[in-house]
Amino acid sequence: MDGVTFRRHRRLRTTPTMRAIVRETYVLKEDLIYPLFVLEGENIKNSVSSMPGVYQWSLDLVTEEVRDAVSKGIKTIILFGIPDHKDSVGSCAYDAKGIVQRAIQKIKADFPDLTVIADTCLCQFTDHGHCGVIKDGNILNDESLELLVKTAVSQAEAGADIIAPSNMMDGFVAAIRQGLDVAGFHHVPVMSYAVKYASAFYGPFRDAAHSSPASGDRKTYQMDPANRREAFREAQSDVDEGADFLIVKPALAYLDIVRDIKERQQVPVVAYNVSGEYAMIKAAAQNGWIDEKAVVMEKMTSMKRAGADLILTYFAKDVANWLDERE
């Protein structure tokens, strides 16, 4: 190799310590948001068949699951409710005694320092499974906003620390921000599902939340997976309307969008590591095809590297355990 000049990049990879001191991206426990499904009844812990390790919890048992998450260092959870009654307008979503409202009250009473996020949507609560009011087969935007505002305010009244509207109606952030402010909740942030694609990765969640549409699909309000510039418009609108956080959903197939939004906006960006992404890894790991821990941690790192400030993931407790092992 006499006379050949080249750079020796491997010098910075020679030992674990050397690699550690030059590592650019870290996943922290504070980055993690742990999703929980709560439902009516007592002494219920239903496994979700398409999501191994994920359960639906009744109120009397959810506290212990939260306690376990907190003991592992989880700082933030998000709640999804499964009611025992559904109707055309999703009235249980904004009932002061609804499942989400009661879960918020119970969890905040037991864990006052935990940050509790309320998912704000109608799909789990409507008998048709859509995220808004339907008339003649159409999802009515403005009429739906009124119910979403009622839902957000009722969740804030129950003690939610953050409101996370996921419905993708036009103007939903402006309506909810105004509704919260009028009700005296100026201090409650809005974590908008700003960039939510009409993805095929949501199937297992719909099993867990009992939220599959009875007919049709959600392509008239969720985004076309082929579109990038549309994501910029959606995110900018939500920031202009008062969003404090922006969610990109799903995460794994849309890391380019996570990076784009991070570079264009000045609010925290959340990557939603969705149910289908979780299920794929679990299935492959159970078949012995992959190293679950290695793949999950690589995926978490990729989301942080792409620009995510927070990661909403069903792997949150596992990741917290693995971070302890690394220490």
Side-chain angles (χ1 to χ4, degrees):
M1 299 300 293
D2 290 346
V4 178
T5 301
F6 55 89
R7 296 188 177 184
R8 296 190 179 273
H9 299 288
R10 291 179 57 197
R11 289 173 182 155
L12 302 185
R13 304 172 193 155
T14 52
T15 65
T17 301
M18 183 69 75
R19 293 191 292 274
I21 64 174
V22 298
R23 184 163 294 133
E24 300 173 25
T25 305
Y26 283 90
V27 177
L28 306 174
K29 292 182 181 182
E30 289 80 1
D31 302 330
L32 305 172
I33 301 173
Y34 182 40
L36 285 170
F37 298 96
V38 290
L39 78 171
E40 300 285 1
E42 295 182 354
N43 198 32
I44 300 173
K45 179 184 176 182
N46 292 335
S47 61
V48 180
S49 60
S50 55
M51 299 176 71
V54 174
Y55 300 89
Q56 301 166 331
W57 302 90
S58 56
L59 280 180
D60 56 323
L61 297 185
V62 73
T63 298
E64 289 308 307
E65 176 64 4
V66 174
R67 191 181 310 280
D68 185 49
V70 169
S71 73
K72 299 178 188 307
I74 302 296
K75 310 293 185 184
T76 307
I77 65 168
I78 184 168
L79 294 175
F80 299 94
I82 305 164
D84 58 3
H85 167 74
K86 299 188 179 191
D87 56 34
S88 62
V89 293
S91 58
C92 284
Y94 43 87
D95 187 339
K97 296 182 179 179
I99 183 63
V100 170
Q101 288 79 357
R102 286 166 29 235
I104 294 168
Q105 292 168 343
K106 182 174 180 59
I107 291 168
K108 288 299 294 184
D110 293 335
F111 306 95
D113 295 330
L114 183 70
T115 298
V116 176
I117 305 172
D119 178 79
T120 305
C121 199
L122 300 178
C123 60
Q124 299 104 292
F125 303 92
T126 55
D127 53 15
H128 48 73
H130 279 285
C131 304
V133 179
I134 293 181
K135 183 177 181 180
D136 298 329
N138 297 314
I139 311 298
L140 304 182
N141 193 93
D142 296 7
E143 292 83 349
S144 300
L145 293 181
E146 296 177 14
L147 301 183
L148 292 164
V149 171
K150 291 174 64 175
T151 302
V153 171
S154 71
Q155 292 168 339
E157 289 173 340
D161 297 292
I162 299 173
I163 298 299
S166 58
N167 54 88
M168 288 297 286
M169 296 294 112
D170 289 338
F172 69 97
V173 173
I176 288 173
R177 181 71 270 161
Q178 181 183 34
L180 290 172
D181 290 349
V182 168
F185 296 105
H186 304 272
H187 60 287
V188 175
V190 173
M191 179 181 284
S192 170
Y193 285 68
V195 183
K196 183 177 181 180
Y197 285 94
S199 171
F201 284 99
Y202 301 153
F205 173 90
R206 292 173 182 173
D207 291 341
H210 299 171
S211 63
S212 295
S215 62
D217 54 41
R218 295 175 178 154
K219 293 181 179 179
T220 64
Y221 45 104
Q222 295 178 0
M223 287 175 48
D224 185 338
N227 291 355
R228 174 172 174 261
R229 288 177 297 177
E230 184 180 3
F232 306 159
R233 299 195 298 271
E234 289 280 0
Q236 187 62 58
S237 291
D238 286 4
V239 169
D240 292 343
E241 292 171 15
D244 301 283
F245 302 81
L246 299 173
I247 297 177
V248 176
K249 180 183 181 185
L252 192 58
Y254 299 88
L255 292 180
D256 59 323
I257 305 299
V258 173
R259 169 52 59 189
D260 285 334
I261 300 302
K262 179 67 173 181
E263 290 179 343
R264 285 167 171 78
Q265 300 296 340
Q266 301 301 310
V267 300
V269 176
V270 183
Y272 194 147
N273 177 209
V274 299
S275 61
E277 298 167 352
Y278 175 89
M280 288 191 303
I281 289 179
K282 281 292 186 181
Q286 289 180 347
N287 279 286
W289 298 335
I290 60 170
D291 179 331
E292 180 177 346
K293 173 184 173 182
V295 168
V296 171
M297 292 309 296
E298 184 175 337
K299 185 168 69 167
M300 295 295 117
T301 301
S302 75
M303 295 175 199
K304 285 296 297 292
R305 190 184 63 245
D309 299 285
L310 298 166
I311 302 172
L312 200 166
T313 178
Y314 302 94
F315 287 111
K317 290 203 305 180
D318 294 327
V319 171
N321 284 334
W322 295 329
L323 290 174
D324 283 339
E325 292 174 5
R326 188 172 68 184
E327 294 173 0

